[in-house]
Amino acid sequence: MAIVLAEPSRTFSEYLLVPGFSSAEARPENVSLKTPITKFKKGEEPKIMANIPLVSAVMQAVSDDGMAVALAKEGGISFIFGSQSIESQAAMVKKVKSYKAGFVPSDTNVKPDGTLADVLAIKQNSGHSTVAVTDDGTGHGKLLGLVTSKDYRISRLSTDTKVSEFMTPLENLVYGNAGITLSEANDIIWDNKVNQLPIVDKDGCLVAFVFRKDYDSHKANPNELLDDNKSFIVGAGVNTRDYEERIPALVEAGVDVLTIDSSEGYSEWQARTLKWVREKYGDSVKIGAGNVVDKEGFDFLAKSGADFVKIGIGGGSICITREQKGIGRGQASAVLEVAAARDEWFEKTGEYIPICSDGGIVYDYHMTLALAMGADFIMLGRYFARFDESPSAKVMVNGNYMKEYWGEGSARARNWQRYDLGGEAKLKFEEGVDSYVPYAGSLHDNVNLSLSKVKSTMCNCGVVSIQELQRNSKLTLVSATSIIEGGAHDVVLKDNSVATVRR
């Protein structure tokens, strides 16, 4: 007969952290959020450490090269989505690895025969006010001019006006030559009182931009995550079908870490993929696997050679696996059990395999709970999809700005390769939805706010590192009544329009 687990399947919202003794040293500025990403032997250092415990999900609507650069600046890692051609994904990885701090590749470009309507659409979708005019409309074409908001007035130009009629032409622009340093570029910006400096090569082709507004941010990213060559660290997702072609291309492009992107990781297909990687590359290529929800799944992937293990089935905000298939587990229960399995594996083998909590994060405090329960880092989709840096479109819905957000298991993504069905099998139903999430602004501001909450809570627990939080935290289950008690209640909340009663 079936095995029935007596313990209910629990979510993060069913737990609270109990405060611990806070010494004078337990202050947010003393908290370190460094955490291992890849496995290591006892007494050794992990090959890859992140400076913050956040990574972005392997999703079309979340993780492209733009997100990878933005998150690496904050100290985290993006896993660029794999549901695209091998060539396109490898190009994104290469773009991140070739990114030079302060020199921003142009992703908003137009041809001279484009129109004002095209420029306005670019601004609406990207939020960028500077548009490069190149001969072929790409970020590396021959630079012909620039369009900024001061180059046009809606009241005097029709939307079908050609870009060539109102752009600032190259001969009137201040620009820098490829090869100059960031310091030299900033000097040109300040000396000429311009807001942006296009960088062109010897053939007049656009290489990158340096922006005045980024001057302070160059100094404000002490946590940026760099490899030994001072390039940003970047990850990528792979599947269990075309890995023999995809992985070599990503390795050639310079990827730092891979993960198998799958709805369920306790499978022969993942074992085959991991075995192939180890036989071809040994330990030089770092690859995580998953997703699993219990000890058996963790042990299987650990024995198969995974560098880290992802936890979670059905907990994502756009995931409908549980309602479609009746399979999964509450994220808190899954993390707690897999963390115990990870610790047991470490005691037996001396090998520490980091675990990643993937899904189930609704509120910022859930991040702290996931870490306290044993997760080494957290993979987030909805959270990052809301920001300027995500690749999805920003749209107006019922008077509010939103970002489009869809699951890899949705018909829109058509990412059936992530389902380990073997052969040429195709999924016949969806396990994800197409949706919107409220637009939230810049990644930098939001990540700093979220992690300031994490650090403050850790101080309340009397710890200053994730490892101490995992060892020393105390968790308590909460009742339905205490959940209500935890929010504002029995007061009339002030609102800009109408008073709102909370009971």
Side-chain angles (χ1 to χ4, degrees), residues 455-494:
K455 289 181 177 181
S456 180
T457 304
M458 289 171 64
C459 291
N460 293 146
C461 295
V463 300
V464 293
S465 72
I466 292 173
Q467 294 71 35
E468 286 184 1
L469 180 68
Q470 292 171 342
R471 290 194 303 267
N472 301 331
S473 62
K474 185 188 297 184
L475 294 155
T476 181
L477 279 167
V478 295
S479 66
T481 303
S482 65
I483 290 174
I484 296 172
E485 181 186 66
H489 59 90
D490 300 310
V491 295
V492 177
L493 298 182
K494 294 181 179 179

Short mmCIF file of all heavy atoms in Angstrom, two decimals, residues 455-494:
data_model
loop_
_atom_site.label_atom_id
_atom_site.label_comp_id
_atom_site.label_asym_id
_atom_site.label_seq_id
_atom_site.Cartn_x
_atom_site.Cartn_y
_atom_site.Cartn_z
N LYS A 455 19.01 40.77 6.84
CA LYS A 455 20.10 41.06 7.79
C LYS A 455 19.55 41.48 9.15
O LYS A 455 20.07 41.06 10.20
CB LYS A 455 20.99 42.16 7.23
CG LYS A 455 21.85 41.73 6.05
CD LYS A 455 22.72 42.89 5.57
CE LYS A 455 23.64 42.47 4.44
NZ LYS A 455 24.50 43.58 3.98
N SER A 456 18.51 42.30 9.14
CA SER A 456 17.92 42.74 10.41
C SER A 456 17.35 41.56 11.20
O SER A 456 17.55 41.46 12.42
CB SER A 456 16.83 43.77 10.13
OG SER A 456 16.23 44.23 11.33
N THR A 457 16.67 40.66 10.50
CA THR A 457 16.11 39.48 11.18
C THR A 457 17.22 38.59 11.72
O THR A 457 17.11 38.05 12.83
CB THR A 457 15.24 38.68 10.20
OG1 THR A 457 14.23 39.53 9.66
CG2 THR A 457 14.56 37.51 10.91
N MET A 458 18.29 38.43 10.96
CA MET A 458 19.41 37.62 11.44
C MET A 458 19.99 38.21 12.72
O MET A 458 20.35 37.47 13.66
CB MET A 458 20.48 37.52 10.35
CG MET A 458 20.06 36.64 9.18
SD MET A 458 21.18 36.69 7.75
CE MET A 458 22.68 36.00 8.47
N CYS A 459 20.07 39.53 12.77
CA CYS A 459 20.57 40.17 14.00
C CYS A 459 19.63 39.90 15.17
O CYS A 459 20.08 39.70 16.31
CB CYS A 459 20.73 41.67 13.78
SG CYS A 459 22.06 42.09 12.64
N ASN A 460 18.32 39.90 14.92
CA ASN A 460 17.35 39.56 15.98
C ASN A 460 17.56 38.14 16.48
O ASN A 460 17.23 37.82 17.64
CB ASN A 460 15.92 39.70 15.48
CG ASN A 460 15.53 41.13 15.18
OD1 ASN A 460 14.76 41.39 14.26
ND2 ASN A 460 16.06 42.09 15.92
N CYS A 461 18.09 37.29 15.61
CA CYS A 461 18.37 35.90 16.00
C CYS A 461 19.77 35.75 16.59
O CYS A 461 20.17 34.65 16.97
CB CYS A 461 18.23 34.98 14.79
SG CYS A 461 16.54 34.87 14.14
N GLY A 462 20.52 36.85 16.62
CA GLY A 462 21.85 36.82 17.23
C GLY A 462 22.92 36.22 16.36
O GLY A 462 23.92 35.71 16.87
N VAL A 463 22.74 36.25 15.02
CA VAL A 463 23.72 35.64 14.12
C VAL A 463 24.17 36.66 13.07
O VAL A 463 23.43 37.61 12.75
CB VAL A 463 23.16 34.39 13.42
CG1 VAL A 463 22.75 33.35 14.45
CG2 VAL A 463 21.97 34.74 12.52
N VAL A 464 25.37 36.45 12.51
CA VAL A 464 25.89 37.39 11.52
C VAL A 464 26.35 36.68 10.25
O VAL A 464 27.06 37.26 9.43
CB VAL A 464 27.04 38.25 12.10
CG1 VAL A 464 26.52 39.18 13.19
CG2 VAL A 464 28.16 37.36 12.63
N SER A 465 25.95 35.43 10.07
CA SER A 465 26.25 34.72 8.82
C SER A 465 25.15 33.70 8.57
O SER A 465 24.42 33.29 9.49
CB SER A 465 27.60 34.00 8.90
OG SER A 465 27.54 32.87 9.75
N ILE A 466 25.02 33.30 7.32
CA ILE A 466 24.01 32.31 6.96
C ILE A 466 24.30 30.99 7.66
O ILE A 466 23.38 30.30 8.12
CB ILE A 466 23.95 32.13 5.43
CG1 ILE A 466 23.40 33.40 4.79
CG2 ILE A 466 23.10 30.93 5.05
CD1 ILE A 466 23.44 33.40 3.27
N GLN A 467 25.57 30.64 7.75
CA GLN A 467 25.94 29.38 8.40
C GLN A 467 25.54 29.38 9.87
O GLN A 467 25.04 28.37 10.40
CB GLN A 467 27.44 29.15 8.24
CG GLN A 467 27.90 28.91 6.80
CD GLN A 467 27.84 30.17 5.92
OE1 GLN A 467 28.09 31.29 6.40
NE2 GLN A 467 27.51 29.99 4.66
N GLU A 468 25.72 30.52 10.55
CA GLU A 468 25.28 30.62 11.96
C GLU A 468 23.76 30.55 12.05
O GLU A 468 23.21 29.94 12.97
CB GLU A 468 25.76 31.93 12.56
CG GLU A 468 27.25 31.99 12.89
CD GLU A 468 27.63 33.28 13.57
OE1 GLU A 468 26.73 34.11 13.81
OE2 GLU A 468 28.81 33.46 13.86
N LEU A 469 23.07 31.16 11.10
CA LEU A 469 21.61 31.11 11.09
C LEU A 469 21.13 29.68 10.96
O LEU A 469 20.19 29.27 11.66
CB LEU A 469 21.08 31.97 9.94
CG LEU A 469 19.55 32.03 9.77
CD1 LEU A 469 18.92 32.79 10.94
CD2 LEU A 469 19.18 32.69 8.44
N GLN A 470 21.76 28.90 10.09
CA GLN A 470 21.36 27.51 9.91
C GLN A 470 21.60 26.69 11.17
O GLN A 470 20.81 25.81 11.51
CB GLN A 470 22.13 26.92 8.74
CG GLN A 470 21.76 27.50 7.39
CD GLN A 470 22.69 27.06 6.27
OE1 GLN A 470 23.79 26.59 6.52
NE2 GLN A 470 22.25 27.20 5.03
N ARG A 471 22.70 26.97 11.87
CA ARG A 471 23.03 26.19 13.08
C ARG A 471 22.22 26.60 14.30
O ARG A 471 21.85 25.74 15.12
CB ARG A 471 24.52 26.35 13.41
CG ARG A 471 25.48 25.69 12.44
CD ARG A 471 26.87 25.62 13.04
NE ARG A 471 27.39 26.94 13.42
CZ ARG A 471 28.14 27.70 12.63
NH1 ARG A 471 28.44 27.29 11.41
NH2 ARG A 471 28.58 28.87 13.05
N ASN A 472 21.94 27.89 14.44
CA ASN A 472 21.45 28.41 15.72
C ASN A 472 20.01 28.89 15.71
O ASN A 472 19.48 29.27 16.77
CB ASN A 472 22.34 29.57 16.18
CG ASN A 472 23.78 29.15 16.34
OD1 ASN A 472 24.08 27.99 16.64
ND2 ASN A 472 24.71 30.08 16.13
N SER A 473 19.36 28.92 14.56
CA SER A 473 18.00 29.46 14.54
C SER A 473 17.01 28.54 15.22
O SER A 473 17.19 27.31 15.27
CB SER A 473 17.56 29.74 13.10
OG SER A 473 17.54 28.54 12.36
N LYS A 474 15.97 29.13 15.74
CA LYS A 474 14.87 28.38 16.36
C LYS A 474 13.59 28.77 15.65
O LYS A 474 13.27 29.95 15.50
CB LYS A 474 14.76 28.73 17.85
CG LYS A 474 13.72 27.91 18.61
CD LYS A 474 13.53 28.42 20.02
CE LYS A 474 14.80 28.30 20.86
NZ LYS A 474 14.56 28.73 22.26
N LEU A 475 12.84 27.76 15.19
CA LEU A 475 11.62 27.99 14.43
C LEU A 475 10.41 27.50 15.20
O LEU A 475 10.49 26.52 15.94
CB LEU A 475 11.68 27.25 13.08
CG LEU A 475 12.75 27.74 12.10
CD1 LEU A 475 13.14 26.64 11.14
CD2 LEU A 475 12.23 28.94 11.33
N THR A 476 9.29 28.19 15.02
CA THR A 476 8.05 27.75 15.65
C THR A 476 6.94 27.71 14.62
O THR A 476 6.86 28.56 13.73
CB THR A 476 7.66 28.72 16.79
OG1 THR A 476 6.46 28.25 17.42
CG2 THR A 476 7.45 30.13 16.31
N LEU A 477 6.10 26.69 14.74
CA LEU A 477 4.90 26.63 13.91
C LEU A 477 3.90 27.65 14.42
O LEU A 477 3.85 27.95 15.61
CB LEU A 477 4.28 25.23 13.96
CG LEU A 477 4.90 24.17 13.07
CD1 LEU A 477 4.40 22.78 13.47
CD2 LEU A 477 4.56 24.44 11.61
N VAL A 478 3.11 28.21 13.50
CA VAL A 478 2.12 29.20 13.90
C VAL A 478 0.72 28.70 13.58
O VAL A 478 0.52 27.95 12.62
CB VAL A 478 2.37 30.55 13.20
CG1 VAL A 478 3.68 31.16 13.65
CG2 VAL A 478 2.35 30.40 11.70
N SER A 479 -0.23 29.11 14.39
CA SER A 479 -1.62 28.74 14.14
C SER A 479 -2.26 29.75 13.20
O SER A 479 -1.71 30.83 12.96
CB SER A 479 -2.39 28.74 15.47
OG SER A 479 -2.47 30.05 15.99
N ALA A 480 -3.42 29.41 12.70
CA ALA A 480 -4.14 30.33 11.81
C ALA A 480 -4.45 31.64 12.52
O ALA A 480 -4.37 32.73 11.94
CB ALA A 480 -5.43 29.67 11.33
N THR A 481 -4.77 31.54 13.81
CA THR A 481 -5.08 32.75 14.59
C THR A 481 -3.85 33.63 14.75
O THR A 481 -3.93 34.86 14.62
CB THR A 481 -5.63 32.36 15.97
OG1 THR A 481 -6.77 31.53 15.81
CG2 THR A 481 -6.01 33.61 16.77
N SER A 482 -2.70 33.02 15.00
CA SER A 482 -1.49 33.83 15.19
C SER A 482 -1.02 34.47 13.89
O SER A 482 -0.36 35.51 13.91
CB SER A 482 -0.37 32.99 15.80
OG SER A 482 0.04 31.97 14.93
N ILE A 483 -1.36 33.86 12.75
CA ILE A 483 -1.04 34.48 11.47
C ILE A 483 -1.81 35.78 11.33
O ILE A 483 -1.27 36.81 10.92
CB ILE A 483 -1.36 33.53 10.30
CG1 ILE A 483 -0.38 32.35 10.30
CG2 ILE A 483 -1.28 34.27 8.97
CD1 ILE A 483 -0.72 31.29 9.27
N ILE A 484 -3.08 35.77 11.71
CA ILE A 484 -3.89 36.99 11.67
C ILE A 484 -3.33 38.02 12.65
O ILE A 484 -3.22 39.21 12.33
CB ILE A 484 -5.36 36.67 12.02
CG1 ILE A 484 -5.96 35.76 10.94
CG2 ILE A 484 -6.18 37.95 12.16
CD1 ILE A 484 -7.33 35.24 11.27
N GLU A 485 -2.94 37.57 13.82
CA GLU A 485 -2.39 38.45 14.84
C GLU A 485 -1.11 39.13 14.36
O GLU A 485 -0.77 40.23 14.80
CB GLU A 485 -2.10 37.64 16.12
CG GLU A 485 -1.53 38.43 17.27
CD GLU A 485 -1.16 37.53 18.42
OE1 GLU A 485 -0.23 36.71 18.24
OE2 GLU A 485 -1.78 37.64 19.49
N GLY A 486 -0.39 38.46 13.46
CA GLY A 486 0.90 38.98 13.01
C GLY A 486 0.81 40.21 12.13
O GLY A 486 1.81 40.90 11.93
N GLY A 487 -0.36 40.50 11.57
CA GLY A 487 -0.51 41.70 10.75
C GLY A 487 -1.24 42.79 11.50
O GLY A 487 -1.64 42.61 12.67
N ALA A 488 -1.39 43.94 10.86
CA ALA A 488 -2.16 45.01 11.49
C ALA A 488 -3.60 44.53 11.69
O ALA A 488 -4.19 43.92 10.81
CB ALA A 488 -2.13 46.25 10.60
N HIS A 489 -4.15 44.78 12.87
CA HIS A 489 -5.52 44.35 13.15
C HIS A 489 -6.15 45.24 14.18
O HIS A 489 -5.48 45.91 14.97
CB HIS A 489 -5.54 42.88 13.62
CG HIS A 489 -4.72 42.63 14.86
ND1 HIS A 489 -5.23 42.74 16.13
CD2 HIS A 489 -3.41 42.29 14.99
CE1 HIS A 489 -4.29 42.46 17.01
NE2 HIS A 489 -3.16 42.20 16.35
N ASP A 490 -7.48 45.28 14.17
CA ASP A 490 -8.28 46.06 15.12
C ASP A 490 -7.94 47.54 15.07
O ASP A 490 -8.01 48.25 16.08
CB ASP A 490 -8.09 45.52 16.54
CG ASP A 490 -8.53 44.08 16.66
OD1 ASP A 490 -9.65 43.79 16.21
OD2 ASP A 490 -7.75 43.25 17.15
N VAL A 491 -7.55 48.01 13.90
CA VAL A 491 -7.28 49.43 13.71
C VAL A 491 -7.89 49.86 12.39
O VAL A 491 -8.23 49.04 11.54
CB VAL A 491 -5.75 49.74 13.70
CG1 VAL A 491 -5.13 49.43 15.04
CG2 VAL A 491 -5.06 48.97 12.59
N VAL A 492 -8.03 51.17 12.22
CA VAL A 492 -8.46 51.73 10.94
C VAL A 492 -7.23 52.28 10.26
O VAL A 492 -6.61 53.23 10.75
CB VAL A 492 -9.52 52.83 11.14
CG1 VAL A 492 -9.89 53.45 9.79
CG2 VAL A 492 -10.74 52.28 11.83
N LEU A 493 -6.84 51.67 9.14
CA LEU A 493 -5.64 52.10 8.44
C LEU A 493 -5.91 53.37 7.65
O LEU A 493 -6.97 53.54 7.05
CB LEU A 493 -5.16 51.00 7.48
CG LEU A 493 -4.76 49.67 8.12
CD1 LEU A 493 -4.26 48.71 7.03
CD2 LEU A 493 -3.68 49.87 9.17
N LYS A 494 -4.94 54.26 7.67
CA LYS A 494 -5.03 55.48 6.86
C LYS A 494 -4.71 55.14 5.42
O LYS A 494 -3.78 54.42 5.12
CB LYS A 494 -4.04 56.53 7.37
CG LYS A 494 -4.38 57.05 8.75
CD LYS A 494 -3.37 58.11 9.19
CE LYS A 494 -3.71 58.65 10.56
NZ LYS A 494 -2.72 59.66 11.01
#
